[in-house]
Amino acid sequence: MVKFRHLLRFTAAVAMGAGALLGSAAHAASATAIFAGGCFWCTESDFEKLPGVIEAVSGYTAGKTPNPTYQAVSAGHTGHTEAVRVTYDPAKVSYAQLVEFFWKTIDPSEKNRQFCDIGDQYRSGIYWGNEAERQIVTASRDALQKTGRFKTIHTELAPASTFYLAEDYHQDYYKKNSVRYSYYRLSCGRDAQLKRVWK
């Protein structure tokens, strides 16, 4: 009986260790990507609806001021753009698929603005993390340009730089303030413009 108990404990320990390893492997299997599509509430909302995306968080990137605040970024004083960092499962959605999905959530022809939000803090952008991602992004941009749909594509393509998390009240805004978010998105004309641009 004592030997049996030891065997049970050993088996449980092995199972727990395997579970920890599997959990670690699952965590390591995730990857991140950074996109800027104007209002980060909207970009976060769009990506979190995409199968394979684990989460999207709002923040600021591609600027020059350390630890920027929303007030400073929205005033256009830091060089940052509102962006989201997307955490995804590459086994379910590829980086290339994220890029293709992203294009359809913005108007690439707009420079230093997106929809009703004006200023370089609302410029669109894709920020790659390595050479393979750079090649995917530039090839995707070039293919889109060749379609003739847009005379000029103003979306910024650049290597990823420091991503600063936005304040807590911006995270999951579309969930926590759904009525205000829906009103903002409608009044900004985002979906109506996307329908015209990508028809």
Side-chain angles (χ1 to χ4, degrees):
M1 188 68 171
V2 173
K3 288 183 178 179
F4 183 67
R5 284 179 184 168
H6 282 309
L7 180 61
L8 283 177
R9 286 176 184 166
F10 175 76
T11 305
V14 170
M16 286 176 65
L21 286 173
L22 286 172
S24 173
H27 181 71
S30 66
T32 60
I34 299 175
F35 300 92
C39 169
F40 47 27
W41 299 341
C42 298
T43 307
E44 181 184 327
S45 170
D46 289 341
F47 271 108
E48 288 198 338
K49 294 178 175 67
L50 182 65
V53 168
I54 298 166
E55 71 166 351
V57 294
S58 294
Y60 316 108
T61 198
K64 58 184 184 295
T65 304
N67 303 308
T69 63
Y70 178 69
Q71 287 72 22
V73 172
S74 60
H77 298 323
T78 71
H80 291 87
T81 184
E82 288 193 9
V84 298
R85 184 177 63 208
V86 177
T87 301
Y88 65 100
D89 181 350
K92 296 180 179 178
V93 62
S94 68
Y95 182 76
Q97 288 173 318
L98 292 179
V99 171
E100 294 306 313
F101 174 81
F102 172 70
W103 288 123
K104 301 294 179 65
T105 69
I106 64 167
D107 182 346
S109 69
E110 292 196 311
K111 183 177 182 179
N112 291 331
R113 67 174 295 166
Q114 278 296 293
F115 313 102
C116 67
D117 295 312
I118 301 171
D120 70 350
Q121 66 271 37
Y122 296 109
R123 68 189 183 274
S124 62
I126 305 175
Y127 305 97
W128 65 79
N130 54 50
E131 176 59 20
E133 290 182 355
R134 185 195 70 78
Q135 291 182 18
I136 289 170
V137 170
T138 54
S140 179
R141 187 272 316 275
D142 293 347
L144 182 58
Q145 187 77 68
K146 286 178 182 177
T147 66
R149 183 185 292 271
F150 304 103
K151 183 177 180 181
T152 304
I153 293 176
H154 290 290
T155 300
E156 181 175 56
L157 307 183
S161 56
T162 304
F163 179 90
Y164 296 95
L165 279 176
E167 295 79 352
D168 286 345
Y169 68 91
H170 287 300
Q171 307 302 335
D172 288 322
Y173 189 89
Y174 76 99
K175 294 178 183 176
K176 296 183 291 190
N177 300 277
S178 58
V179 174
R180 290 183 179 179
Y181 168 73
S182 296
Y183 176 76
Y184 159 76
R185 185 161 182 141
L186 178 64
S187 61
C188 197
R190 190 179 186 105
D191 294 317
Q193 187 168 337
L194 286 174
K195 188 174 181 179
R196 290 194 302 272
V197 167
W198 292 101
K199 64 181 179 181

